[in-house]
Amino acid sequence: MNNFGIVVCFYLAFICNFSRPLAADRWTEFPQPPAMPMAVRSGAAPVNGIEMYYAIYGSAAGTPILLIHGGLGYADIWANQVADLSREHTVIVADSRGHGRSTRTSAPYAYDLMASDYVALLDYLKVGQVALVGWSDGGIIGLDIAMKHPERLTKLFAHAANTKTDGFKHGFDKTMTWLAYVEHCKDVYKRISPTHDEYDAFLTEMNAMWTSQPNWSDGELKTINVPTAIVIGDHDEAIDRGHTEYIAQTVPGAKLVILEKVSHFALLQDPQGYTAAIRAFLEAPE
């Protein structure tokens, strides 16, 4: 091949590689959750004036695991983790009040109210203690339970939680990943919610809670005596890394866990790695 042919070949190779779509970094994506496995039991628990949807998976002996979803979400977003963890654990999921299939009262959304719902659900199910895995609002609810009802928890894995309103990153709600999540939740809400045509009002009320709660003092966080992991993705678009480190430093004995190459939606972006992190913490000796 002459020099001209070599140049042409290199040029064509460069053009092909340059024009080939680059794989998106996984922390920029919002993967859809798969279908849930078959539940052992599901229903609606009458707690605190609402009908709270719940489902139970697996039947293994030992301490069950309670998974609490984030704001706007619903129980089935945990499908990847349920399929894995239910092989060796009894796993409980639920829709928080006003979310998913659960109803609500006229009371404003509040973390302490939703925490009391989950404690009442455990009472209804006659479950004494659980290992709690909470994501985002679920992590905040988990911290609330750890402060007020520590006897109900064996361990707490609190992912992407904040304990003060300034723990949010400015402008996170304008990111493409967050907007994709909001749209996904809107589609699901329209399909399964008892108030399927009220999503915009629901979002407005949730925003009101997020801008005013939580606001726990250092003293309140220091009362937590449950073995706790404070968890954050290294590309979390919503929660400030420094705030997460502050929580881990303030909760006595808390372990700081940094999930790699994932954002606020780590449970969907790296389901295997996320579940492995849960297992590592829950199975570690105290």
Side-chain angles (χ1 to χ4, degrees):
M1 181 182 294
N2 58 30
N3 289 340
F4 177 76
I6 294 174
V7 170
V8 169
C9 288
F10 273 113
Y11 175 77
L12 291 174
F14 172 79
I15 291 297
C16 288
N17 287 328
F18 183 79
S19 62
R20 183 179 300 147
L22 296 175
D25 294 317
R26 67 183 181 185
W27 60 83
T28 68
E29 299 179 330
F30 179 76
Q32 299 289 306
M36 288 287 265
M38 182 71 67
V40 172
R41 174 185 170 191
S42 65
V47 300
N48 295 342
I50 67 170
E51 293 293 316
M52 188 174 190
Y53 170 82
Y54 71 89
I56 301 173
Y57 299 84
S59 57
T63 303
I65 299 173
L66 171 63
L67 305 177
I68 303 183
H69 63 80
L72 308 183
Y74 55 105
D76 297 10
I77 209 161
W78 290 110
N80 289 302
Q81 287 69 44
V82 168
D84 186 309
L85 295 171
S86 63
R87 296 199 301 262
E88 299 169 3
H89 297 270
T90 298
V91 179
I92 303 166
V93 298
D95 291 338
S96 298
R97 73 165 47 221
H99 293 63
R101 291 145 287 207
S102 294
T103 64
R104 62 166 299 192
T105 64
S106 60
Y109 288 106
Y111 290 114
D112 58 351
L113 178 57
M114 289 192 283
S116 71
D117 292 339
Y118 278 96
V119 172
L121 174 64
L122 295 180
D123 290 341
Y124 174 81
L125 297 176
K126 296 180 170 56
V127 175
Q129 283 189 315
V130 294
L132 194 156
V133 177
W135 161 56
S136 195
D137 275 8
I140 299 172
I141 292 168
L143 289 166
D144 192 292
I145 294 173
M147 284 186 278
K148 297 173 183 173
H149 301 279
E151 74 283 356
R152 307 308 293 266
L153 304 183
T154 59
K155 289 190 175 184
L156 170 62
F157 185 95
H159 168 223
N162 59 295
T163 61
K164 299 181 188 298
T165 55
D166 61 6
F168 284 122
K169 289 182 178 179
H170 178 71
F172 79 92
D173 55 340
K174 303 298 190 297
T175 63
M176 294 302 296
T177 314
W178 176 261
L179 292 173
Y181 170 68
V182 171
E183 284 303 307
H184 171 77
C185 291
K186 183 176 184 178
D187 291 341
V188 173
Y189 187 94
K190 287 182 174 180
R191 285 191 283 107
I192 69 175
S193 173
T195 54
H196 57 86
D197 58 347
E198 298 179 12
Y199 184 78
D200 291 341
F202 166 56
L203 178 58
T204 297
E205 292 190 53
M206 289 296 292
N207 275 318
M209 182 181 72
W210 292 333
T211 56
S212 62
Q213 301 177 36
N215 276 301
W216 291 316
S217 68
D218 291 6
E220 289 174 298
L221 293 179
K222 288 178 180 177
T223 65
I224 295 176
N225 59 14
V226 175
T228 300
I230 302 299
V231 186
I232 193 75
D234 61 358
H235 287 77
D236 195 300
E237 57 274 273
I239 303 299
D240 180 73
R241 170 77 168 265
H243 182 72
T244 302
E245 293 172 349
Y246 150 76
I247 301 172
Q249 291 164 2
T250 307
V251 173
K255 178 182 180 182
L256 177 64
V257 178
I258 308 298
L259 305 173
E260 296 184 355
K261 299 181 180 179
V262 287
S263 79
H264 199 71
F265 306 99
L267 69 166
L268 295 168
Q269 293 163 343
D270 181 22
Q272 291 183 334
Y274 191 87
T275 308
I278 294 172
R279 286 183 176 277
F281 175 65
L282 297 186
E283 295 169 6
E286 297 181 15

